């Protein structure tokens, strides 16, 4: 894939990976407020939701580690944005943001 198209794909995934998870989360907050106890209760309500929750948590930790290591190796500026996106939304947001930043840095 050409570099320009790859950057565009990463940006598109960053938008989708930010918006899609936030829609149900914002709806939940609107209905329940910022009740952390209720949030954790709902998140781990059964085995299948626990499976997805742990998958996302572990993946987010891996994304953050990847961002820290690769940002230093490839001299990627503003990598903190990807870490913040990972912590605030998840890996579906942070990883494509970092990959777009890295792609831009590699072009320079």
């Amino acid at each position: 894939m050409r570099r320009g198209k790859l950057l565009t794909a990463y940006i598109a995934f960053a938008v989708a990976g930010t918006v899609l998870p936030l829609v149900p989360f914002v709806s939940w907050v609107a209905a329940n407020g910022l009740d952390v106890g209720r949030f954790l209760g709902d998140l781990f309500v059964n085995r299948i939701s626990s499976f997805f929750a742990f998958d996302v948590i572990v993946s987010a930790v891996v994304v953050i580690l990847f961002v820290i290591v690769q940002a230093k190796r490839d001299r990627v500026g503003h990598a903190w944005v990807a870490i913040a996106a990972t912590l605030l939304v998840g890996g579906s947001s942070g990883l494509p943001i970092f990959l777009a930043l890295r792609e831009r840095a590699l072009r320079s």
Side-chain angles (χ1 to χ4, degrees), residues 5-23:
K5 289 189 178 190
L6 190 57
L7 180 60
T8 301
Y10 288 147
I11 292 169
F13 281 119
V15 170
T18 301
V19 172
L20 291 175
L22 282 179
V23 168

Side-chain angles (χ1 to χ4, degrees), residues 45-66:
V45 71
N46 58 43
R47 290 180 183 157
I48 197 68
S49 66
S50 296
F51 162 79
F52 282 106
F54 284 124
D55 180 66
V56 169
I57 292 166
V58 171
S59 296
V61 171
V62 172
V63 167
I64 291 169
L65 179 62
F66 175 74

Side-chain angles (χ1 to χ4, degrees), residues 14-100:
V15 170
T18 301
V19 172
L20 291 175
L22 282 179
V23 168
F25 177 70
V26 169
S27 174
W28 185 92
V29 170
N32 300 290
L34 291 173
D35 184 344
V36 175
R38 172 108 189 241
F39 176 78
L40 292 174
D42 286 355
L43 183 62
F44 293 99
V45 71
N46 58 43
R47 290 180 183 157
I48 197 68
S49 66
S50 296
F51 162 79
F52 282 106
F54 284 124
D55 180 66
V56 169
I57 292 166
V58 171
S59 296
V61 171
V62 172
V63 167
I64 291 169
L65 179 62
F66 175 74
V67 168
I68 291 167
V69 171
Q70 286 299 128
K72 289 179 184 176
R73 279 188 191 163
D74 297 331
R75 295 185 178 111
V76 177
H78 306 292
W80 66 268
V81 173
I83 293 172
T86 301
L87 292 171
L88 294 171
V89 179
S92 65
S93 177
L95 181 59
I97 288 172
F98 176 72
L99 293 173

